[in-house]
């Protein structure tokens, strides 16, 4: 669970759907992306700079350096994928994160390339993406399509 108030509040409602839950952990690496010194006045400029640089490459003034943020989430996913091989790893893992973090978790788990990642849209609030692991193929499959942006014709 992301450490943000909104994610923890959402989890307090959702946890009723998981009666056999063994444990929950707060994971700071899947926190919301810090946009730093953004204001109503400079938001359009920062967004334009971010998209010009690429959302995976932008360093927010006074906030997160997106490559470092993405690497931290990738490390989280890689640790979880490694730990899944242990005998006591749970059959089901729920990751409760924010839109951009969720997209990065999917990117890392499904090995989505940067070109395809740029086409993913931020999911709506309370969006659920279900991934299933295929033991025989040693791969993950996305059972819930992620939202994509609509490109101008």
């Amino acid at each position: 669970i992301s450490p943000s108030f909104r994610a923890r509040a959402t989890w307090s409602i959702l946890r009723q759907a998981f009666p056999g839950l063994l444990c929950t952990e707060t994971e700071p690496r899947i926190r919301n992306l810090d946009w730093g010194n953004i204001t109503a006045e400079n938001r359009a400029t920062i967004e334009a700079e971010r998209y010009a640089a690429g959302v995976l490459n932008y360093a927010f003034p006074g906030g997160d350096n997106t490559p470092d943020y993405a690497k931290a989430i990738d490390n989280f996913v890689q640790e979880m994928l490694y730990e899944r091989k242990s005998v006591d790893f749970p059959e089901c893992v729920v990751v409760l994160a924010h839109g951009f973090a969720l997209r990065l978790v999917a990117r890392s788990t499904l090995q989505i390339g940067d070109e395809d990642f740029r086409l993913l849209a931020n999911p709506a609030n309370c969006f659920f993406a279900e991934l299933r692991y295929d033991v025989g193929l040693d791969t993950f499959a996305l059972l819930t399509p992620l939202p994509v942006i609509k490109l101008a014709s």
Side-chain angles (χ1 to χ4, degrees):
I1 300 170
S2 163
S4 79
F5 173 79
R6 189 175 66 201
R8 291 181 289 118
T10 300
W11 178 243
S12 71
I13 297 166
L14 290 178
R15 74 178 316 140
Q16 298 168 36
F18 300 95
L21 184 70
L22 299 177
C23 66
T24 54
E25 295 179 25
T26 299
E27 177 52 64
R29 292 175 287 187
I30 59 172
R31 64 180 169 70
N32 205 8
L33 182 65
D34 181 356
W35 281 45
N37 301 329
I38 195 164
T39 64
E41 293 78 25
N42 70 8
R43 183 180 182 107
T45 301
I46 287 178
E47 284 183 341
E49 290 173 356
R50 180 179 185 225
Y51 285 100
V55 297
L56 292 171
N57 302 313
Y58 189 69
F60 288 92
D64 278 321
N65 177 9
T66 307
D68 293 341
Y69 175 82
K71 183 66 175 166
I73 290 177
D74 186 57
N75 288 341
F76 160 71
V77 170
Q78 295 312 311
E79 287 173 18
M80 193 168 42
L81 294 178
Y82 177 79
E83 291 171 8
R84 82 178 191 281
K85 296 176 182 179
S86 71
V87 176
D88 59 345
F89 195 77
E91 182 179 332
C92 176
V93 174
V94 176
V95 177
L96 185 61
H98 309 277
F100 191 67
L102 175 66
R103 288 166 46 206
L104 288 169
V105 168
R107 174 181 177 246
S108 184
T109 305
L110 299 168
Q111 300 177 356
I112 297 171
D114 291 354
E115 275 303 304
D116 290 330
F117 180 83
R118 73 177 190 82
L119 299 175
L120 296 178
N122 249 14
N125 289 341
C126 297
F127 178 85
F128 281 85
E130 184 178 358
L131 299 169
R132 179 126 335 138
Y133 177 64
D134 184 318
V135 176
L137 297 175
D138 192 28
T139 61
F140 285 86
L142 183 64
L143 301 181
T144 311
L146 296 172
V148 295
I149 61 170
K150 294 185 175 133
L151 298 174
S153 307

